[in-house]
Amino acid sequence: MFDALLTTLQNTPSLYAAVLFVFGLLVGSFLNVVILRFPKRLFWQWAQDAKEHLTTMGCQVHCPDELHSPPAGLVLTRSHCPKCGHQLAWWENIPLVSWAMLKARCRQCHSAIGLRYPLVELITGLIFLSVALHYPPSMQSLCLLFFSAMLIALSGIDIDHQILPDPMVYILLWFGIVASYWGWLDLSLQDSVLGALIGYLSLWSFYWLFKIVTGKEGMGYGDFKLFAALGAWIGPTLLIPTIILAALLGTVIGVTGMLLFKKQNRIPFGPFLAAGGWVSLLYGHTLIHAYLRWAGLGF
């Protein structure tokens, strides 16, 4: 049955693109859950570890009530309104459609449902569609869907909390190395490992050079690890286009934000790195060849 479905998708590109777009909308709905709940579980675990450490040292610890029980899980706990706890019916959880039907408000308490929820769903659907337009059904396209979903989740968490959770970044890094080992990517194992090493060391070196010169921290340690994870997927050759794209995108959005809102806000670099890495993976070599032709260095 799976072979028949795979053959159908391979022979019908339009159906394949439509299936991945709808699948992307569904994955985007789940990514909203990850972005909302995973940091809460992470913070709760950090609090438990701190409590255990302080108790071991003989300190009396009084925790707030919300720290006595773990937050909602990612999979088994049903979706609910974060304000009133209303559990969503199946028809309230349809990507894009439910948000429009409910007029962006909870059916129970009428609190506003942020634009971010349908936006994440739509972005994920469009990104999955882009993968479908560039890669036929294969293990490589499946890996790229995983790569894309992880970057979206990490970007959302970084925007909300200015953190890039180590467990998610390490999964992304090791999956890239394993995928290159099994031949699921257009990248050798050697280039995957080298890309991860150069990715980490390059931003680590820049961080310390910037700190020595200015006395300030230009980025967080999570950015080093994310760049290493990206390197495991794109190899050393595409690291430079990735960081250039990330810097350009960050500059444009940062300057635009200052002009519009007349104030300086700290903008996490993770989402720009993620965007640069994703574009480089799909279009990096095309961009390099186009630049070389423009510069008269290639043909």
Side-chain angles (χ1 to χ4, degrees):
M1 180 178 179
F2 177 78
D3 291 339
L5 176 61
L6 183 61
T7 302
T8 301
L9 293 177
Q10 290 173 337
N11 295 332
T12 317
S14 57
L15 176 62
Y16 171 54
V19 167
L20 278 199
F21 176 70
V22 174
F23 181 57
L25 295 179
L26 296 173
V27 171
S29 180
F30 175 70
L31 294 181
N32 276 319
V33 175
V34 175
I35 294 169
L36 179 66
R37 297 183 186 177
F38 188 78
K40 292 181 179 180
R41 295 190 66 85
L42 196 63
F43 298 150
W44 179 84
Q45 187 59 57
W46 290 346
Q48 298 306 307
D49 293 341
K51 176 183 176 182
E52 181 180 351
H53 178 69
L54 291 173
T55 303
T56 303
M57 295 176 62
C59 301
Q60 290 186 348
V61 181
H62 300 283
C63 293
D65 293 338
E66 60 267 20
L67 294 181
H68 288 299
S69 58
L74 300 182
V75 179
L76 299 180
T77 305
R78 288 180 55 183
S79 297
H80 58 273
C81 173
K83 298 290 179 62
C84 68
H86 164 66
Q87 289 191 342
L88 304 185
W90 68 268
W91 60 269
E92 295 177 281
N93 213 17
I94 304 173
L96 298 183
V97 177
S98 295
W99 186 82
M101 287 175 54
L102 295 169
K103 299 181 180 179
R105 293 196 174 276
C106 171
R107 182 166 61 95
Q108 187 72 26
C109 67
H110 306 293
S111 59
I113 302 173
L115 180 62
R116 203 265 302 275
Y117 292 97
L119 192 60
V120 169
E121 293 168 352
L122 181 59
I123 289 173
T124 308
L126 292 175
I127 286 178
F128 278 32
L129 176 61
S130 298
V131 173
L133 296 177
H134 286 82
Y135 297 92
S138 62
M139 281 302 301
Q140 182 181 22
S141 60
L142 194 61
C143 288
L144 294 184
L145 296 180
F146 173 80
F147 175 77
S148 303
M150 289 292 287
L151 290 183
I152 293 170
L154 284 167
S155 297
I157 292 173
D158 201 19
I159 290 172
D160 285 349
H161 303 283
Q162 284 74 55
I163 61 170
L164 293 165
D166 282 351
M168 295 178 66
V169 175
Y170 292 155
I171 288 174
L172 186 65
L173 186 151
W174 285 110
F175 196 96
I177 293 176
V178 170
S180 66
Y181 172 79
W182 286 108
W184 297 339
L185 301 176
D186 292 329
L187 190 70
S188 67
L189 176 62
Q190 179 179 349
D191 283 342
S192 178
V193 174
L194 192 60
L197 289 174
I198 294 177
Y200 184 88
L201 291 176
S202 59
L203 285 194
W204 178 86
S205 302
F206 175 81
Y207 167 87
W208 282 107
L209 179 62
F210 185 85
K211 188 172 183 178
I212 291 172
V213 173
T214 66
K216 301 178 181 179
E217 296 183 355
M219 62 183 65
Y221 277 70
D223 296 324
F224 315 159
K225 300 170 188 176
L226 178 58
F227 202 39
L230 293 174
W233 285 79
I234 63 179
T237 305
L238 294 178
L239 287 174
I240 292 179
T242 295
I243 200 67
I244 291 175
L245 288 170
L248 288 175
L249 186 59
T251 300
V252 169
I253 292 181
V255 171
T256 302
M258 286 190 294
L259 293 176
L260 291 177
F261 301 106
K262 307 298 182 183
K263 62 179 181 179
Q264 291 185 348
N265 292 323
R266 181 173 179 178
I267 302 176
F269 193 49
F272 304 123
L273 274 179
W278 187 87
V279 171
S280 292
L281 184 59
L282 266 71
Y283 305 101
H285 293 293
T286 301
L287 292 175
I288 290 175
H289 292 156
Y291 171 76
L292 292 177
R293 286 196 300 271
W294 175 79
L297 300 176
F299 53 87

